[in-house]
Amino acid sequence: MAGQRTRHRAAVGALGAIALTAGAITTGLTLPTASAATWPTPSGSPQAVTKTISVSGTTDGGMKRYYGSGDLGSGGQDEGQDPLFELADGATLKNVILGSPAADGVHCKGGCTLQNVWWEDVGEDAATFRGTGKTYNVIGGGARKASDKVFQFNGGGTLNISGFAVQDFGKLVRSCGNCSSQYKRTINVSDTEVTAPGKTIGGINTNYGDSLTLRGITIIGDSSKKIVPCQKYIGNNTGKEPTENGSGPDGTYCKYSSSDITYK
């Protein structure tokens, strides 16, 4: 799907979670502030995943590292791979580290919460959100080595990303540009630390009424300001590559101001 194709591996540093803001308070979940360059140390023995793990209700991984093996262990970047975890509508996955290979990370079949989930080496995508008119929450955690996308938003509804840390990435989040079923998508990213190299924080489709709101974003190591905060596209449902439709704050689709982004 659009914005989902090109993949290349690259080395990265490490990042840490950041405290939540009002955008995430509605979930009732809180996480302590962590300093930059803090990655969690896995607990126990790593667990190989040979078949997608189904999650309903709440699953707490206890900070164990999970990695793909067998059919999930190719380490390739092809589209259509199965995930390590598949969440039912309303499920929560927390305190999990996804190692390498990570296949297609996490799939949410409907609304879901990912709390303190870390991707050490993003595979096809870190997480894919599906469903219609749902709310998806990513609270804390981090991802690195995502040469294309970290979060793929295929469904409709609202995606809230707060207290997240990302480094060495193509796009932090992308509304699907050419899915056969298209929706209006609302994306809120707050208190998130973005470390270069990277290309785009969020990509949205203006013709479907998408919006991206940025608050409390810290960009590190990008003195030339090459990372695009908000890239607009004209999406389609035919499978064609979408065309770009400008970038930058406009108050309607890209909702942020210069004061919402700090460069370090």
Side-chain angles (χ1 to χ4, degrees):
M1 293 172 187
Q4 296 179 318
R5 303 293 190 215
T6 308
R7 307 272 180 183
H8 302 285
R9 293 285 179 174
V12 327
L15 293 171
I18 304 170
L20 301 180
T21 60
I25 291 175
T26 55
T27 65
L29 299 172
T30 59
L31 290 173
T33 300
S35 60
T38 299
W39 272 87
T41 300
S43 65
S45 300
Q47 180 172 329
V49 180
T50 58
K51 183 179 179 180
T52 298
I53 299 171
S54 297
V55 176
S56 59
T58 298
T59 292
D60 188 333
M63 299 312 295
K64 179 181 288 189
R65 176 189 283 134
Y66 295 80
Y67 66 94
S69 182
D71 291 341
L72 297 176
S74 70
Q77 299 294 302
D78 296 335
E79 294 291 330
Q81 296 183 60
D82 289 330
L84 298 188
F85 293 90
E86 184 174 69
L87 276 60
D89 187 17
T92 295
L93 178 67
K94 63 181 182 178
N95 301 324
V96 165
I97 298 173
L98 278 70
S100 179
D104 200 26
V106 178
H107 285 185
C108 288
K109 297 175 71 175
C112 67
T113 296
L114 305 179
Q115 182 184 1
N116 199 34
V117 177
W118 298 82
W119 291 263
E120 295 179 323
D121 190 339
V122 174
E124 182 183 341
D125 296 313
T128 301
F129 304 100
R130 297 172 175 169
T132 305
K134 300 294 183 176
T135 298
Y136 317 84
N137 297 302
V138 177
I139 304 172
R144 56 188 181 183
K145 296 186 181 179
S147 57
D148 193 4
K149 298 168 315 308
V150 176
F151 298 123
Q152 176 68 28
F153 197 179
N154 288 351
T158 300
L159 170 60
N160 301 308
I161 302 169
S162 58
F164 199 72
V166 63
Q167 184 178 44
D168 190 4
F169 65 102
K171 298 179 181 70
L172 172 59
V173 58
R174 175 69 169 104
S175 288
C176 183
N178 58 9
C179 285
S180 57
S181 296
Q182 290 285 22
Y183 311 94
K184 177 180 179 179
R185 302 174 177 103
T186 300
I187 303 171
N188 302 304
V189 183
S190 61
D191 286 352
T192 288
E193 187 173 83
V194 176
T195 301
K199 294 180 180 178
T200 306
I201 294 177
I204 56 174
N205 306 311
T206 59
N207 57 316
Y208 294 121
D210 293 355
S211 66
L212 170 66
T213 299
L214 302 176
R215 297 288 185 268
I217 306 300
T218 300
I219 299 179
I220 299 173
D222 185 31
S223 58
S224 60
K225 299 184 178 180
K226 292 183 178 180
I227 296 174
V228 178
C230 182
Q231 178 64 58
K232 292 175 277 191
Y233 294 89
I234 299 295
N236 64 75
N237 61 0
T238 64
K240 294 181 179 179
E241 193 67 20
T243 57
E244 293 185 354
N245 189 33
S247 62
D250 55 26
T252 301
Y253 306 108
C254 295
K255 299 180 179 181
Y256 68 96
S257 64
S258 58
S259 62
D260 293 310
I261 301 177
T262 300
Y263 289 86
K264 291 185 177 180

